[in-house]
Amino acid sequence: MPDNIVEKIWQQHLIKQQNGFPDILGIDFALLHEVTSAQAFDMLDDKNLGVYDSSKFLATIDHSIPTRTNRHEIHDPTAKAQIELLRKNCAKHNIPICDLDSTRQGIVHVVGPEMGVTQPGMTLVCGDSHTATHGAFGALAFGIGTSTLAHVFATGAILMNQPKVMQVAFTGELPNGTYAKDMIMHLIAEIGIGGATQHVIEYTGAAVRALSMEQRMTLCNMSIECGAIAGLIAPDQTTFDYIKDRPYAPQGPLFAQAVEYWQSLCSEPDCSYDSTIELNIAELKPMISWGTNPQQAIQSHQKTPDEHNAAMDYVKLNTNQKLIGTPIQWAFIGSCTNGRIEDLRIVADILRDRKIATAVTMYVVPGSEQVMLQAKAEGLDQIFETAGAEFRLPGCSMCLGMNDDKVPAGARCISTTNRNFIGRQGTGSITHLASPATVAYSALAGFICTEFIQHEAS
Amino acid sequence: MYKKIAKHNIQGLCAPMMIDDIDTDIIIPAQHLTQTSQSGFGQHAFARLKKANTDFVLNQKRYQAAKILIAGDNFGCGSSREHAVWAIQELGFEAIIAPSFADIFSNNAKKNGLVLIELSTDTCQQMAQFAEAENLYLSIDLATANVTSKHFNHAFNINPFFQYCITHGSNEVDYLLQHMGQIKAHKTAAVNHSLFIQNGASQ
């Protein structure tokens, strides 16, 4: 049977296969951040082990930091200690770190691709569940826990059983006004948050091929939200063009050699999948989540379910209710899902020469220093500020409520992030997940909407 | 730290938490993840559910000594934070029985010796009802992979490598370290991805 892309990558990285034991799988690269690495370094010390090859690791600081201008002043003493410990551990083990103000710092899943670290066919891990983002390049990239990170530090390999592979084939053309965010939220709503457990997803179809690299990253990023181990897209010219000339990319004649190899990374015709799902997106409308997990989401013209669900009590919504028109107090643009330059351009195009509603606080947080610098070079920061939004410094910010940026209890936020779990953006906060365009339109109107509606104040 | 204690069985009181899709933000909210040790997470475990409902299972005195959690489908979905496993262990739980578990949570549990047992939704519901109506004490035999009590007797699937590790007090990393020669050889011989990774740190 001809191989699919996941089987190809697995075979190339399989070091040992033995009955009754998990496979030993070689790992090409690991990214790390401050939250899930400290205990892994401790585990090394505990066993008197070193890092097997420090050039196969890259660290950044993203989760615990403030995004205000004086971000070096970290008020939370444990967050401060955590960040300082990452610096100390990286120095000790000679691991490069994209530190604050290095022009390279940012959210780990924005930084990796930006640096050219993420390349087709590689195995890449990070102590972070949104590592599937890197699958956009045809890499097998997945989140691991801290103990597994210690295994990678010590050996450059992990123990894992070969995953099943699910093909998600998008048919039809993505309609104007909808984005990769809507595609992935649609999939999650269809198959559920456990729908792809134990599987790696390969996204296929002309609509996927038509996506830019940044949109592909958004698509793969939320694979974990339907339970998938990873999600990936076979590489093509769009992929190669993005990687070329980035700091970690192969330089000179090596690049052509690399491309030749990367082109072999596709699922063969007549290969088999453990399951296949076909989703027609020709009529897709913008997606908005209503509940307390990413599966609880509907298209803009749809209503909340007929049947009462406990999540409705938390989010203060009723059965059979439209989301359009629901007042919001917060709007957030950013995160590893939607904090890249193309996302910021979409938002700027909508906010240009307009003002957000007075009742709304809006944060625009670039995914990295590179994204921030590019946005400033294009004058996007001015558009955001003029519209009444705050353009802040790079980091995970309001995505997960573990730094200063939190949605207050009882407040409703429309957000480009990836999870609407109870209290995710701050204790008692209510989250509606959506695309950057939907967040921008909603911020202007002061209530959830997916097109430009003039609000009363203007 | 690496746990080196061999374990052959778990016997104890069950606590019922039959909620589907318990996510890792519920188990341990991100605001508590700035700690850099492996302890101190138990006091914050399930804090939001504890606060929202005074009758929540972990607020009830009768379950304070529970060692086995009976849970709903897709337990541990969400983030990769191993802190979720550490937090649950700190509460005194040594095993969780549920219809299914999320993948990363499941991997993390194995590496810390937290035993996850998948049983049918019906069985989990029966166990939970029993644990609520009266005290349910289960005995989990890791060598024979059986869960038993006066009223229940169920075989479960156990990953043979995990079974070996937990019953011998052995750790996965030891197995990997034994294969270092093979790992190094593969990294130089196989399709060499390092060839394509330039050191970008200086740029």
Side-chain angles (χ1 to χ4, degrees):
Chain A
M1 182 70 78
D3 287 337
N4 62 46
I5 181 171
V6 178
E7 289 164 339
K8 284 184 183 179
I9 299 174
W10 195 269
Q11 286 307 319
Q12 281 163 5
H13 293 81
L14 181 64
I15 294 170
K16 184 177 169 130
Q17 196 159 45
Q18 191 184 346
N19 243 347
F21 291 82
D23 290 353
I24 299 181
L25 186 77
I27 298 299
D28 294 313
F29 208 94
L31 295 163
L32 41 148
H33 60 71
E34 71 276 22
V35 183
T36 52
S37 57
Q39 295 89 346
F41 284 112
D42 282 349
M43 291 171 191
L44 281 185
D45 289 347
D46 219 37
K47 292 204 108 180
N48 264 322
L49 295 165
V51 169
Y52 88 101
D53 180 352
S54 58
S55 73
K56 301 299 184 290
F57 296 84
L58 180 66
T60 188
I61 304 171
D62 52 9
H63 284 64
S64 313
I65 47 167
T67 59
R68 50 182 153 72
T69 41
N70 53 345
R71 63 175 170 167
H72 287 278
E73 278 174 40
I74 298 164
H75 301 143
D76 175 352
T78 55
K80 189 169 184 237
Q82 184 175 56
I83 289 159
E84 278 166 9
L85 187 56
L86 178 70
R87 290 183 178 127
K88 203 177 118 204
N89 280 326
C90 286
K92 179 178 168 187
H93 294 281
N94 202 25
I95 292 174
I97 179 167
C98 301
D99 208 336
L100 300 184
D101 306 331
S102 65
T103 76
R104 284 296 181 185
Q105 174 268 336
I107 306 173
V108 68
H109 308 308
V110 178
V111 168
E114 233 172 47
M115 294 287 276
V117 161
T118 313
Q119 295 173 16
M122 66 171 11
T123 49
L124 184 149
V125 294
C126 175
D128 195 288
S129 62
H130 293 109
T131 307
T133 310
H134 308 266
F137 293 80
L140 182 58
F142 48 91
I144 54 171
T146 299
S147 296
T148 313
L149 178 60
H151 296 181
V152 181
F153 277 153
T155 69
I158 63 166
L159 294 168
M160 189 170 168
N161 293 311
Q162 185 166 352
K164 295 177 195 160
V165 186
M166 175 187 286
Q167 181 192 28
V168 173
F170 286 102
T171 61
E173 206 175 311
L174 187 63
N176 273 341
T178 54
Y179 303 87
K181 182 64 166 283
D182 302 301
M183 290 166 71
I184 186 66
M185 284 184 67
H186 180 47
L187 172 70
I188 297 161
E190 286 294 315
I191 69 172
I193 59 169
T197 304
Q198 296 181 7
H199 289 77
V200 171
I201 297 174
E202 182 188 2
Y203 298 102
T204 65
V208 175
R209 288 281 145 235
L211 296 174
S212 69
M213 275 323 296
E214 296 196 356
Q215 289 282 307
R216 292 180 191 187
M217 286 186 239
T218 301
L219 181 67
C220 291
N221 171 275
M222 286 182 73
S223 302
I224 182 74
E225 309 313 337
C226 53
I229 295 165
L232 53 67
I233 297 167
D236 58 16
Q237 197 57 44
T238 305
T239 322
F240 313 143
D241 292 345
Y242 181 98
I243 296 170
K244 198 171 187 325
D245 298 329
R246 292 184 183 268
Y248 276 77
Q251 311 288 329
L254 260 185
F255 188 78
Q257 260 185 55
V259 169
E260 196 183 330
Y261 161 62
W262 292 342
Q263 280 167 335
S264 72
L265 296 162
C266 54
S267 290
E268 294 298 326
D270 305 323
C271 71
S272 72
Y273 294 96
D274 295 281
S275 61
T276 293
I277 287 167
E278 208 178 279
L279 279 181
N280 189 309
I281 51 170
E283 304 288 328
L284 184 65
K285 303 270 192 304
M287 295 288 304
I288 307 149
S289 73
W290 59 264
T292 55
N293 71 49
Q295 167 192 338
Q296 295 169 335
I298 51 179
Q299 299 183 45
S300 56
H301 65 287
Q302 294 172 327
K303 293 177 177 174
T304 57
D306 291 337
E307 212 174 301
H308 181 265
N309 180 301
M312 290 174 184
D313 301 333
Y314 182 79
V315 299
K316 302 189 181 78
L317 289 173
N318 295 316
T319 54
N320 208 20
Q321 182 184 347
K322 275 203 156 187
L323 289 177
I324 303 292
T326 309
I328 51 151
Q329 294 78 45
W330 283 78
F332 178 69
I333 303 282
S335 85
C336 59
T337 313
N338 281 124
R340 299 183 180 78
I341 191 66
E342 289 178 16
D343 299 313
L344 268 50
R345 286 178 189 142
I346 290 167
V347 174
D349 281 346
I350 293 167
L351 297 188
R352 185 174 285 118
D353 300 328
R354 291 170 176 162
K355 296 264 184 218
I356 63 168
T358 45
V360 173
T361 307
M362 183 179 195
Y363 280 9
V364 180
V365 178
S368 69
E369 292 186 3
Q370 288 291 302
V371 173
M372 178 180 71
L373 294 170
Q374 184 62 31
K376 284 184 174 172
E378 295 176 23
L380 308 187
D381 56 329
Q382 292 304 317
I383 296 171
F384 301 139
E385 298 284 347
T386 308
E390 279 186 45
F391 185 61
R392 298 171 70 93
L393 296 176
C396 296
S397 184
M398 206 165 255
C399 176
L400 83 167
M402 80 167 291
N403 50 62
D404 295 353
D405 302 348
K406 293 189 179 82
V407 175
R412 191 179 296 277
C413 178
I414 188 147
S415 178
T416 64
T417 52
N418 41 58
R419 286 188 178 133
N420 51 340
F421 293 154
I422 291 174
R424 171 80 177 181
Q425 294 192 287
T427 304
S429 62
I430 299 169
T431 302
H432 294 280
L433 305 174
S435 73
T438 298
V439 172
Y441 286 127
S442 304
L444 289 172
F447 50 81
I448 297 176
C449 65
T450 59
E451 57 195 358
F452 179 59
I453 298 172
Q454 194 78 31
H455 58 80
E456 286 164 15
S458 52
Chain B
M1 298 304 114
Y2 285 106
K3 295 173 178 71
K4 271 274 180 191
I5 307 153
K7 194 184 271 188
H8 300 278
N9 53 63
I10 297 165
Q11 289 170 331
L13 180 67
C14 296
M17 194 192 289
M18 286 306 288
I19 308 169
D20 287 345
D21 307 314
I22 289 279
D23 61 72
T24 49
D25 277 75
I26 285 292
I27 300 171
I28 182 78
Q31 70 218 56
H32 304 297
L33 301 186
T34 48
Q35 290 286 350
T36 53
S37 69
Q38 275 189 40
S39 56
F41 301 107
Q43 57 182 313
H44 306 297
F46 300 97
R48 285 176 185 144
L49 294 181
K50 278 181 172 173
K51 201 180 159 200
N53 177 7
T54 49
D55 291 334
F56 179 61
V57 57
L58 299 180
N59 283 335
Q60 297 182 40
K61 274 212 172 80
R62 57 181 285 210
Y63 297 119
Q64 293 307 302
K67 281 189 182 175
I68 300 164
L69 188 64
I70 314 288
D73 200 24
N74 195 28
F75 187 91
C77 62
S79 100
S80 64
R81 60 190 72 163
E82 200 160 317
H83 314 66
V85 171
W86 301 331
I88 288 171
Q89 287 182 309
E90 220 170 298
L91 293 179
F93 290 107
E94 297 180 32
I96 308 176
I97 301 175
S100 75
F101 297 91
D103 290 319
I104 311 180
F105 181 82
S106 174
N107 284 331
N108 290 343
K110 281 196 193 95
K111 287 168 178 70
N112 289 277
L114 177 66
V115 176
L116 305 185
I117 296 172
E118 288 188 355
L119 292 177
S120 73
T121 307
D122 282 354
T123 304
C124 291
Q125 264 160 3
Q126 281 166 21
M127 285 178 168
Q129 277 162 14
F130 217 101
E132 231 170 77
E134 48 188 289
N135 288 340
L136 174 64
Y137 289 90
L138 285 177
S139 174
I140 300 168
D141 189 316
L142 295 167
T144 61
N146 266 290
V147 187
T148 52
S149 74
K150 213 157 55 169
H151 305 277
F152 293 97
N153 189 346
H154 294 276
F156 60 90
N157 286 324
I158 189 164
N159 176 301
F161 182 63
F162 173 69
Q163 186 178 40
Y164 175 86
C165 286
I166 194 161
T167 54
H168 288 76
S170 147
N171 194 287
E172 287 188 9
V173 77
D174 297 327
Y175 179 76
L176 275 173
L177 289 167
Q178 283 164 21
H179 292 84
M180 258 334 267
Q182 228 172 316
I183 294 170
K184 279 184 183 158
H186 185 274
K187 281 184 181 281
T188 48
V191 175
N192 198 345
H193 291 267
S194 349
L195 186 73
F196 302 136
I197 298 172
Q198 309 284 305
N199 188 359
S202 57
Q203 299 193 29

